[in-house]
Amino acid sequence: MNPIGNLNKIFESRIRLGVMSILMVNEEVNFNDLKQMLEVTDGNLASHLNTLEENGYLKVHKGFIGRKTNTTYAITPAGEKAFKGHLAALEHMIKFTR
Amino acid sequence: MNPIGNLNKIFESRIRLGVMSILMVNEEVNFNDLKQMLEVTDGNLASHLNTLEENGYLKVHKGFIGRKTNTTYAITPAGEKAFKGHLAALEHMIKFTR
DNA sequence: TGTTTTAGCTTTGTATTGCAAAGTGCTTTT
DNA sequence: AAAAGCACTTTGCAATACAAAGCTAAAACA
């Protein structure tokens, strides 16, 4: 009945939506690449990554390339489940409009 | 490249998304029915309807049923175009994740 | 060796948004 | 006459978004 009842509040942000969809197709992506793909400021991206991590949807890996720091982000199983649920809700809503 | 570049800012709100998807399948719907379908407070709904109207996505018709007021809402051509564009962007994003 | 740049943040400040609750005016129902 | 419903508007607060600035450590450059 309610076409929006199953949408996930966390994924109402365009940036968080973008992060998740990028990480669904790329096993892990570093901070800078995400920043460039989404065309956002670094502070803004960092805070969205933070809320995704706080919700258990993302895991962070602080590593190195050679001796240069390289922080990568990847989706957790919980994140994948939540995101797929959200996409299903969106698809349902879209079908509802036909 | 950017999976979220074509999303419409106006439709990032779950309630506005809900209003639009309801009005895509129902030619016109009155205030109270929208309120019940979306399970929101009247003030909250009114303000979202207002922003949709301000953006030219909705037209409002203040009429009567008998002698009782009945305000109905319907999508404008611009609203339909914008919403379809947003759905296309969402579908594109969803496909991107496969 | 000193200076600048880059990566990845955190902090700060502002502006916008979301929302509930209360108030309003008109009408209908009881 | 009183209560309730409809369709709002207003108020006020809390959460959010975002840019900009600051910050640390390492790297690249001169």
Coordinates of all heavy atoms in Angstrom, one line a residue, chain D:
Chain D
dA1 P -25.8 28.5 20.4 OP1 -26.1 29.7 21.1 OP2 -24.6 28.3 19.7 O5' -26.2 27.2 21.2 C5' -25.8 26.8 22.5 C4' -25.0 25.6 22.5 O4' -25.3 24.7 21.4 C3' -23.5 25.8 22.4 O3' -22.8 25.1 23.4 C2' -23.1 25.3 21.0 C1' -24.1 24.2 20.8 N9 -24.4 23.9 19.4 C8 -24.8 24.8 18.4 N7 -25.1 24.2 17.3 C5 -24.8 22.9 17.5 C6 -24.9 21.8 16.6 N6 -25.3 21.8 15.4 N1 -24.6 20.6 17.2 C2 -24.2 20.5 18.5 N3 -24.1 21.5 19.3 C4 -24.4 22.7 18.8
dA2 P -21.3 25.3 23.7 OP1 -21.1 25.3 25.1 OP2 -20.8 26.3 22.8 O5' -20.8 23.9 23.2 C5' -21.5 22.7 23.7 C4' -20.8 21.4 23.0 O4' -21.3 21.3 21.6 C3' -19.3 21.5 23.0 O3' -18.8 20.2 23.4 C2' -19.0 21.8 21.5 C1' -20.2 21.2 20.8 N9 -20.5 21.9 19.5 C8 -20.6 23.2 19.3 N7 -21.0 23.5 18.1 C5 -21.1 22.3 17.5 C6 -21.5 21.9 16.2 N6 -21.8 22.8 15.2 N1 -21.6 20.6 15.9 C2 -21.3 19.7 16.8 N3 -20.9 19.9 18.1 C4 -20.9 21.2 18.3
dA3 P -17.3 19.9 23.4 OP1 -17.1 19.0 24.7 OP2 -16.5 21.1 23.3 O5' -17.1 18.9 22.2 C5' -17.9 17.8 22.0 C4' -17.6 17.2 20.6 O4' -18.1 18.0 19.6 C3' -16.2 16.9 20.4 O3' -16.0 15.6 19.9 C2' -15.8 18.0 19.3 C1' -17.1 18.2 18.6 N9 -17.3 19.5 18.0 C8 -17.1 20.7 18.5 N7 -17.4 21.7 17.7 C5 -17.8 21.1 16.6 C6 -18.3 21.6 15.4 N6 -18.4 22.9 15.1 N1 -18.7 20.7 14.4 C2 -18.6 19.4 14.7 N3 -18.2 18.8 15.8 C4 -17.8 19.7 16.7
dA4 P -14.6 14.9 19.7 OP1 -14.7 13.5 20.2 OP2 -13.5 15.8 20.1 O5' -14.5 14.8 18.1 C5' -15.7 14.4 17.3 C4' -15.4 14.7 15.9 O4' -15.7 16.1 15.6 C3' -14.0 14.5 15.4 O3' -14.1 13.7 14.2 C2' -13.5 15.9 15.1 C1' -14.7 16.6 14.8 N9 -14.7 18.1 14.9 C8 -14.3 18.8 16.0 N7 -14.4 20.1 15.8 C5 -15.0 20.2 14.6 C6 -15.4 21.4 13.9 N6 -15.2 22.6 14.3 N1 -15.9 21.1 12.7 C2 -16.1 19.9 12.2 N3 -15.7 18.7 12.8 C4 -15.2 19.0 14.0
dG5 P -12.8 13.1 13.5 OP1 -13.0 11.6 13.3 OP2 -11.6 13.6 14.3 O5' -12.8 13.8 12.1 C5' -13.9 13.7 11.3 C4' -13.7 14.6 10.1 O4' -13.9 16.0 10.5 C3' -12.3 14.5 9.5 O3' -12.5 14.5 8.1 C2' -11.6 15.8 9.9 C1' -12.8 16.8 10.0 N9 -12.6 17.9 10.9 C8 -12.1 17.8 12.2 N7 -12.1 19.0 12.8 C5 -12.5 19.9 11.8 C6 -12.6 21.3 11.9 O6 -12.4 22.0 12.8 N1 -13.1 21.8 10.7 C2 -13.4 21.0 9.6 N2 -13.8 21.7 8.5 N3 -13.3 19.7 9.5 C4 -12.8 19.2 10.7
dC6 P -11.2 14.0 7.2 OP1 -11.7 12.9 6.4 OP2 -10.0 13.9 8.0 O5' -11.0 15.3 6.2 C5' -12.1 16.0 5.7 C4' -11.6 17.3 5.2 O4' -11.5 18.2 6.3 C3' -10.2 17.3 4.6 O3' -10.2 17.8 3.3 C2' -9.3 18.1 5.5 C1' -10.3 19.0 6.2 N1 -10.0 19.5 7.6 C2 -10.1 20.8 7.8 O2 -10.4 21.6 6.9 N3 -9.8 21.3 9.1 C4 -9.5 20.4 10.0 N4 -9.2 20.9 11.3 C5 -9.4 19.0 9.8 C6 -9.6 18.6 8.5
dA7 P -9.1 17.5 2.2 OP1 -9.7 17.6 0.9 OP2 -8.3 16.4 2.6 O5' -8.2 18.9 2.4 C5' -8.8 20.1 2.2 C4' -7.9 21.2 2.6 O4' -7.9 21.2 4.1 C3' -6.4 21.0 2.3 O3' -6.0 22.3 1.8 C2' -5.8 20.7 3.6 C1' -6.6 21.5 4.5 N9 -6.5 21.1 5.9 C8 -6.2 19.9 6.5 N7 -6.1 19.9 7.8 C5 -6.4 21.3 8.1 C6 -6.4 22.0 9.4 N6 -6.2 21.4 10.5 N1 -6.6 23.3 9.3 C2 -6.8 23.9 8.1 N3 -6.8 23.4 6.9 C4 -6.6 22.0 7.0
dC8 P -4.7 22.4 0.8 OP1 -4.6 23.8 0.3 OP2 -4.9 21.3 -0.2 O5' -3.5 22.0 1.7 C5' -2.6 22.8 2.4 C4' -3.2 23.8 3.3 O4' -3.9 23.1 4.4 C3' -2.2 24.7 4.0 O3' -2.1 25.9 3.2 C2' -2.7 25.0 5.3 C1' -3.7 24.0 5.6 N1 -3.4 23.1 6.8 C2 -3.5 23.6 8.1 O2 -3.8 24.7 8.2 N3 -3.2 22.7 9.1 C4 -2.9 21.5 8.9 N4 -2.7 20.7 10.0 C5 -2.9 20.9 7.6 C6 -3.1 21.7 6.5
dT9 P -0.6 26.6 3.2 OP1 -0.7 27.7 2.2 OP2 0.4 25.6 3.1 O5' -0.6 27.2 4.6 C5' -1.5 28.3 5.0 C4' -1.1 28.9 6.3 O4' -1.2 27.8 7.4 C3' 0.4 29.3 6.4 O3' 0.4 30.6 7.1 C2' 1.1 28.2 7.2 C1' 0.0 27.7 8.1 N1 0.1 26.3 8.5 C2 0.1 25.9 9.8 O2 0.0 26.7 10.7 N3 0.2 24.5 10.0 C4 0.3 23.5 9.1 O4 0.3 22.4 9.4 C5 0.3 24.0 7.7 C7 0.4 23.0 6.6 C6 0.2 25.3 7.5
dT10 P 1.8 31.4 7.2 OP1 1.4 32.8 7.1 OP2 2.8 30.8 6.3 O5' 2.2 31.1 8.7 C5' 1.2 31.1 9.7 C4' 1.8 30.7 11.0 O4' 1.8 29.2 11.1 C3' 3.3 31.1 11.3 O3' 3.3 31.8 12.5 C2' 4.1 29.8 11.2 C1' 3.0 28.8 11.7 N1 3.2 27.4 11.2 C2 3.2 26.4 12.1 O2 3.0 26.5 13.3 N3 3.3 25.1 11.5 C4 3.5 24.8 10.2 O4 3.6 23.7 9.8 C5 3.6 26.0 9.3 C7 3.8 25.8 7.8 C6 3.4 27.2 9.8
dT11 P 4.6 32.5 13.0 OP1 4.3 33.6 13.9 OP2 5.6 32.6 11.9 O5' 5.2 31.3 14.0 C5' 4.3 30.7 15.0 C4' 5.1 29.6 15.7 O4' 5.1 28.4 14.9 C3' 6.5 29.9 16.0 O3' 6.7 29.8 17.4 C2' 7.3 28.9 15.2 C1' 6.3 27.8 15.1 N1 6.5 26.9 13.9 C2 6.4 25.5 14.1 O2 6.3 25.0 15.2 N3 6.6 24.8 13.0 C4 6.7 25.2 11.7 O4 6.8 24.5 10.7 C5 6.8 26.7 11.5 C7 7.0 27.3 10.2 C6 6.7 27.4 12.6
dG12 P 8.1 30.3 18.1 OP1 7.6 30.9 19.4 OP2 8.9 31.2 17.2 O5' 8.9 29.0 18.4 C5' 8.2 27.8 18.9 C4' 9.1 26.6 18.7 O4' 8.9 26.0 17.4 C3' 10.6 26.9 18.9 O3' 11.1 25.9 19.7 C2' 11.1 26.8 17.5 C1' 10.2 25.7 16.9 N9 10.1 25.7 15.5 C8 10.2 26.7 14.6 N7 10.1 26.3 13.3 C5 10.0 24.9 13.4 C6 9.8 23.9 12.4 O6 9.8 24.1 11.2 N1 9.7 22.7 12.9 C2 9.8 22.3 14.3 N2 9.7 21.1 14.6 N3 9.9 23.3 15.2 C4 10.0 24.5 14.7
dC13 P 12.5 26.2 20.5 OP1 12.2 26.5 21.9 OP2 13.3 27.1 19.7 O5' 13.1 24.7 20.4 C5' 12.3 23.6 20.4 C4' 12.8 22.5 19.5 O4' 12.5 22.8 18.1 C3' 14.3 22.3 19.6 O3' 14.6 20.9 19.8 C2' 14.8 22.7 18.2 C1' 13.6 22.4 17.3 N1 13.5 23.1 16.0 C2 13.3 22.3 14.9 O2 13.1 21.1 15.0 N3 13.2 22.9 13.7 C4 13.3 24.3 13.6 N4 13.2 24.8 12.4 C5 13.5 25.1 14.8 C6 13.6 24.4 16.0
dA14 P 16.0 20.5 20.5 OP1 15.7 20.2 21.9 OP2 17.0 21.5 20.1 O5' 16.3 19.1 19.8 C5' 15.2 18.4 19.1 C4' 15.7 17.9 17.8 O4' 15.5 18.8 16.7 C3' 17.2 17.5 17.8 O3' 17.3 16.2 17.3 C2' 17.8 18.5 16.9 C1' 16.7 18.9 15.9 N9 16.8 20.2 15.3 C8 17.1 21.4 16.0 N7 17.0 22.4 15.1 C5 16.7 21.9 13.9 C6 16.5 22.4 12.7 N6 16.6 23.7 12.4 N1 16.2 21.6 11.6 C2 16.0 20.3 11.9 N3 16.2 19.6 13.0 C4 16.5 20.5 14.0
dA15 P 18.6 15.4 17.3 OP1 18.3 14.1 18.0 OP2 19.7 16.2 17.8 O5' 18.8 15.1 15.8 C5' 17.7 14.7 15.0 C4' 18.1 14.9 13.5 O4' 18.0 16.3 13.2 C3' 19.4 14.4 13.1 O3' 19.3 13.6 12.0 C2' 20.2 15.7 12.8 C1' 19.1 16.6 12.4 N9 19.4 18.1 12.6 C8 19.8 18.7 13.7 N7 20.0 20.0 13.6 C5 19.6 20.2 12.3 C6 19.5 21.4 11.5 N6 19.8 22.6 12.0 N1 19.1 21.3 10.2 C2 18.9 20.1 9.7 N3 18.9 18.9 10.3 C4 19.3 19.0 11.6
dT16 P 20.5 12.8 11.3 OP1 20.0 11.5 10.7 OP2 21.6 12.8 12.3 O5' 20.8 13.8 10.1 C5' 19.8 14.1 9.2 C4' 20.3 15.1 8.2 O4' 20.5 16.4 8.7 C3' 21.7 14.7 7.6 O3' 21.4 14.3 6.2 C2' 22.5 15.9 7.8 C1' 21.5 17.0 8.1 N1 22.0 18.1 9.0 C2 22.0 19.4 8.6 O2 21.7 19.7 7.4 N3 22.4 20.3 9.5 C4 22.7 20.1 10.8 O4 23.1 21.0 11.5 C5 22.7 18.7 11.2 C7 23.1 18.3 12.6 C6 22.3 17.8 10.3
dA17 P 22.6 14.0 5.3 OP1 22.1 13.2 4.1 OP2 23.8 13.4 6.0 O5' 23.0 15.4 4.8 C5' 22.0 16.3 4.1 C4' 22.7 17.4 3.4 O4' 23.0 18.4 4.3 C3' 24.0 17.0 2.7 O3' 24.0 17.5 1.4 C2' 25.1 17.5 3.6 C1' 24.4 18.7 4.3 N9 24.8 19.0 5.7 C8 25.0 18.1 6.7 N7 25.3 18.6 7.8 C5 25.4 19.9 7.6 C6 25.7 21.0 8.4 N6 26.0 20.9 9.7 N1 25.6 22.3 7.8 C2 25.3 22.4 6.5 N3 25.0 21.4 5.7 C4 25.1 20.2 6.2
dC18 P 25.0 17.1 0.3 OP1 24.4 17.3 -1.0 OP2 25.6 15.8 0.7 O5' 26.1 18.3 0.5 C5' 25.7 19.7 0.4 C4' 26.7 20.6 1.0 O4' 26.7 20.5 2.4 C3' 28.1 20.2 0.6 O3' 28.5 21.0 -0.6 C2' 29.0 20.5 1.8 C1' 28.0 21.0 2.8 N1 28.2 20.6 4.2 C2 28.4 21.5 5.2 O2 28.4 22.7 4.9 N3 28.6 21.1 6.5 C4 28.6 19.8 6.8 N4 28.8 19.4 8.0 C5 28.4 18.8 5.8 C6 28.2 19.2 4.5
dA19 P 29.9 21.0 -1.2 OP1 29.7 21.2 -2.6 OP2 30.7 19.8 -0.7 O5' 30.6 22.3 -0.6 C5' 29.8 23.5 -0.5 C4' 30.6 24.6 0.3 O4' 30.6 24.2 1.7 C3' 32.0 24.7 -0.2 O3' 32.4 26.1 -0.2 C2' 32.8 23.9 0.9 C1' 31.9 24.1 2.1 N9 31.9 23.0 3.1 C8 31.9 21.7 2.8 N7 31.9 20.9 3.8 C5 32.0 21.7 4.9 C6 32.0 21.5 6.3 N6 32.0 20.3 6.9 N1 32.2 22.6 7.1 C2 32.2 23.8 6.5 N3 32.1 24.2 5.2 C4 32.0 23.1 4.4
dA20 P 33.8 26.5 -0.8 OP1 33.5 27.8 -1.5 OP2 34.4 25.4 -1.5 O5' 34.6 26.8 0.5 C5' 34.0 27.5 1.6 C4' 34.9 27.5 2.8 O4' 34.7 26.3 3.6 C3' 36.4 27.5 2.5 O3' 37.0 28.5 3.3 C2' 36.8 26.1 2.8 C1' 35.9 25.7 3.9 N9 35.7 24.3 4.1 C8 35.6 23.3 3.1 N7 35.4 22.1 3.6 C5 35.4 22.3 5.0 C6 35.3 21.4 6.1 N6 35.1 20.1 5.9 N1 35.4 21.9 7.3 C2 35.6 23.2 7.5 N3 35.7 24.2 6.5 C4 35.6 23.6 5.3
dA21 P 38.5 29.0 3.0 OP1 38.5 30.4 2.8 OP2 39.1 28.1 2.0 O5' 39.2 28.7 4.4 C5' 38.4 28.8 5.6 C4' 39.0 27.9 6.7 O4' 38.5 26.5 6.5 C3' 40.5 27.8 6.7 O3' 41.0 28.1 8.0 C2' 40.8 26.4 6.3 C1' 39.6 25.6 6.8 N9 39.3 24.4 6.1 C8 39.2 24.1 4.8 N7 38.9 22.8 4.5 C5 38.8 22.2 5.8 C6 38.6 20.9 6.2 N6 38.3 19.9 5.3 N1 38.6 20.6 7.5 C2 38.8 21.6 8.4 N3 39.1 22.9 8.1 C4 39.1 23.2 6.8
dG22 P 42.6 28.3 8.3 OP1 42.7 29.4 9.2 OP2 43.3 28.2 7.0 O5' 42.9 26.9 9.1 C5' 42.1 26.6 10.3 C4' 42.4 25.2 10.7 O4' 41.8 24.3 9.7 C3' 43.9 24.9 10.8 O3' 44.1 24.2 12.0 C2' 44.1 23.9 9.6 C1' 42.8 23.2 9.5 N9 42.5 22.6 8.2 C8 42.5 23.3 7.0 N7 42.2 22.5 6.0 C5 42.0 21.2 6.6 C6 41.7 20.0 6.0 O6 41.5 19.7 4.8 N1 41.6 19.0 7.0 C2 41.8 19.2 8.4 N2 41.6 18.1 9.1 N3 42.1 20.4 8.9 C4 42.2 21.3 8.0
dC23 P 45.6 24.0 12.6 OP1 45.9 24.9 13.7 OP2 46.5 24.0 11.4 O5' 45.5 22.5 13.2 C5' 44.5 21.6 12.8 C4' 45.1 20.2 12.3 O4' 44.7 19.9 11.0 C3' 46.6 20.1 12.3 O3' 47.0 19.0 13.2 C2' 47.0 19.9 10.9 C1' 45.7 19.3 10.3 N1 45.5 19.4 8.9 C2 45.1 18.3 8.1 O2 45.0 17.2 8.7 N3 44.9 18.5 6.8 C4 45.0 19.7 6.2 N4 44.8 19.7 4.9 C5 45.4 20.8 7.0 C6 45.6 20.7 8.3
dT24 P 48.4 18.9 13.9 OP1 48.2 18.8 15.3 OP2 49.3 19.9 13.3 O5' 49.0 17.5 13.3 C5' 48.1 16.3 13.4 C4' 48.6 15.3 12.4 O4' 48.1 15.6 11.1 C3' 50.1 15.1 12.3 O3' 50.4 13.8 12.6 C2' 50.4 15.5 10.9 C1' 49.1 15.3 10.1 N1 48.8 16.1 8.9 C2 48.4 15.5 7.8 O2 48.2 14.3 7.7 N3 48.1 16.3 6.7 C4 48.3 17.7 6.6 O4 48.1 18.3 5.6 C5 48.8 18.3 7.9 C7 49.0 19.7 7.9 C6 49.0 17.5 8.9
dA25 P 51.9 13.4 12.9 OP1 51.9 12.5 14.1 OP2 52.8 14.6 12.9 O5' 52.3 12.5 11.7 C5' 51.4 11.5 11.2 C4' 51.7 11.2 9.7 O4' 51.2 12.2 8.9 C3' 53.2 11.1 9.5 O3' 53.5 9.9 8.8 C2' 53.5 12.3 8.6 C1' 52.2 12.5 7.9 N9 52.0 13.8 7.4 C8 52.3 15.0 8.0 N7 52.0 16.1 7.3 C5 51.5 15.5 6.1 C6 51.0 16.1 4.9 N6 50.9 17.4 4.7 N1 50.6 15.3 3.9 C2 50.6 14.0 4.1 N3 51.1 13.3 5.2 C4 51.5 14.1 6.1
dA26 P 55.0 9.4 8.6 OP1 55.2 8.0 9.2 OP2 55.9 10.5 9.1 O5' 55.1 9.2 7.1 C5' 54.0 8.6 6.4 C4' 54.0 9.1 4.9 O4' 53.7 10.5 4.9 C3' 55.4 9.0 4.2 O3' 55.2 8.2 3.0 C2' 55.8 10.4 3.9 C1' 54.4 11.2 3.9 N9 54.5 12.6 4.3 C8 55.0 13.1 5.4 N7 54.9 14.4 5.4 C5 54.3 14.8 4.2 C6 54.0 16.0 3.6 N6 54.2 17.2 4.2 N1 53.4 16.0 2.4 C2 53.2 14.8 1.8 N3 53.5 13.5 2.2 C4 54.1 13.6 3.5
dA27 P 56.4 7.9 2.1 OP1 56.1 6.6 1.4 OP2 57.6 8.2 2.8 O5' 56.1 9.1 1.0 C5' 54.9 9.2 0.4 C4' 54.9 10.1 -0.8 O4' 54.9 11.5 -0.4 C3' 56.2 9.9 -1.7 O3' 55.7 10.0 -3.1 C2' 57.1 11.1 -1.3 C1' 56.1 12.1 -0.9 N9 56.5 13.0 0.2 C8 57.1 12.6 1.4 N7 57.3 13.6 2.2 C5 56.9 14.7 1.5 C6 56.8 16.1 1.8 N6 57.3 16.6 3.0 N1 56.3 16.9 0.9 C2 55.9 16.4 -0.2 N3 55.8 15.2 -0.6 C4 56.4 14.4 0.3
dA28 P 56.6 9.6 -4.2 OP1 55.9 8.8 -5.2 OP2 58.0 9.1 -3.7 O5' 56.8 11.1 -4.9 C5' 55.6 11.8 -5.2 C4' 56.1 13.2 -5.5 O4' 56.5 13.9 -4.3 C3' 57.3 13.3 -6.5 O3' 56.8 14.1 -7.6 C2' 58.4 13.9 -5.7 C1' 57.6 14.7 -4.6 N9 58.3 14.8 -3.3 C8 58.9 13.8 -2.6 N7 59.4 14.3 -1.4 C5 59.1 15.6 -1.4 C6 59.4 16.7 -0.5 N6 60.1 16.5 0.6 N1 59.0 17.9 -0.8 C2 58.4 18.1 -2.0 N3 58.1 17.2 -2.9 C4 58.5 16.0 -2.6
dC29 P 57.7 14.4 -8.8 OP1 56.8 14.5 -10.0 OP2 58.8 13.4 -8.8 O5' 58.3 15.9 -8.5 C5' 57.4 16.9 -8.0 C4' 58.1 18.1 -7.6 O4' 58.7 17.9 -6.2 C3' 59.3 18.5 -8.5 O3' 59.2 19.8 -8.8 C2' 60.6 18.3 -7.6 C1' 60.0 18.5 -6.2 N1 60.7 17.9 -5.1 C2 61.0 18.6 -3.9 O2 60.7 19.8 -3.9 N3 61.7 18.1 -2.9 C4 62.0 16.8 -2.9 N4 62.6 16.2 -1.9 C5 61.7 15.9 -4.1 C6 61.0 16.5 -5.1
dA30 P 60.0 20.5 -9.9 OP1 59.2 21.4 -10.7 OP2 60.8 19.4 -10.5 O5' 61.0 21.4 -9.0 C5' 60.5 22.4 -8.1 C4' 61.6 23.1 -7.5 O4' 62.1 22.3 -6.4 C3' 62.8 23.4 -8.4 O3' 63.1 24.8 -8.4 C2' 64.0 22.5 -7.8 C1' 63.5 22.2 -6.4 N9 63.9 20.8 -6.0 C8 63.7 19.7 -6.7 N7 64.1 18.6 -6.1 C5 64.5 19.0 -4.9 C6 65.0 18.4 -3.7 N6 65.1 17.1 -3.6 N1 65.3 19.2 -2.6 C2 65.1 20.5 -2.7 N3 64.6 21.2 -3.7 C4 64.3 20.4 -4.8

